[in-house]
């Protein structure tokens, strides 16, 4: 019988996200700077949400983060009026976030 492999210790989600940040900072062959900035922002936001000690505030922050990630907001000025266009870019995530908002509002 062959020797059994030791399982690596299970890392918390926070440790895993922090590991991603370390890899992004130390990697030699980087993709585009814009992609790295987006990943860094998303991981930073996720870490901030996950480290919130109050479960209610954590859930609210997670739902807001989901809405931010599932939509795209463009503001333009046309004839001296500011127009805001919101485009949903991730329908399932956006709909989940709206259901969660309604559930949170019903619980209050």
């Amino acid at each position: 019988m062959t020797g059994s492999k030791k399982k690596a210790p299970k890392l918390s989600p926070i440790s895993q996200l922090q590991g991603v940040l370390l890899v992004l900072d130390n990697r030699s062959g980087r993709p585009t700077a814009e992609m790295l900035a987006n990943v860094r922002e998303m991981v930073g936001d996720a870490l901030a949400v996950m480290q919130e000690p109050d479960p209610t505030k954590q859930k609210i922050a997670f739902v807001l983060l989901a809405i931010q990630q599932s939509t795209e907001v463009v503001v333009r000025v046309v004839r001296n009026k500011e127009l805001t266009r919101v485009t949903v870019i991730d329908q399932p995530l956006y709909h989940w976030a709206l259901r969660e908002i309604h559930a949170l509002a019903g619980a209050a």
Side-chain angles (χ1 to χ4, degrees):
M1 192 178 233
T2 61
S4 64
K5 292 182 182 179
K6 289 185 179 180
K7 288 186 178 179
K10 185 162 174 109
L11 297 173
S12 72
I14 291 174
S15 296
Q16 291 176 4
L17 288 171
Q18 288 170 334
V20 169
L21 288 176
L22 287 174
V23 169
L24 289 175
D25 286 340
N26 295 325
R27 194 162 173 208
S28 58
R30 292 185 179 205
T32 66
E34 181 182 0
M35 185 185 92
L36 290 174
N38 289 339
V39 169
R40 172 170 280 292
E41 181 183 345
M42 289 171 17
V43 170
D45 290 345
L47 278 170
V49 168
M50 293 173 73
Q51 291 174 335
E52 173 59 52
D54 181 3
T56 303
K57 286 182 182 178
Q58 184 182 41
K59 185 165 188 161
I60 291 168
F62 188 69
V63 169
L64 292 175
L65 184 59
I67 288 180
Q68 179 189 20
Q69 293 300 318
S70 65
T71 58
E72 183 177 75
V73 179
V74 177
V75 179
R76 295 186 343 189
V77 177
V78 177
R79 295 187 202 129
N80 296 325
K81 290 185 181 179
E82 194 173 272
L83 299 176
T84 304
R85 174 174 285 165
V86 179
T87 305
V88 177
I89 56 176
D90 187 342
Q91 290 278 338
L93 181 59
Y94 181 77
H95 290 151
W96 173 85
L98 287 181
R99 284 192 305 271
E100 292 299 311
I101 288 172
H102 281 272
L104 285 168

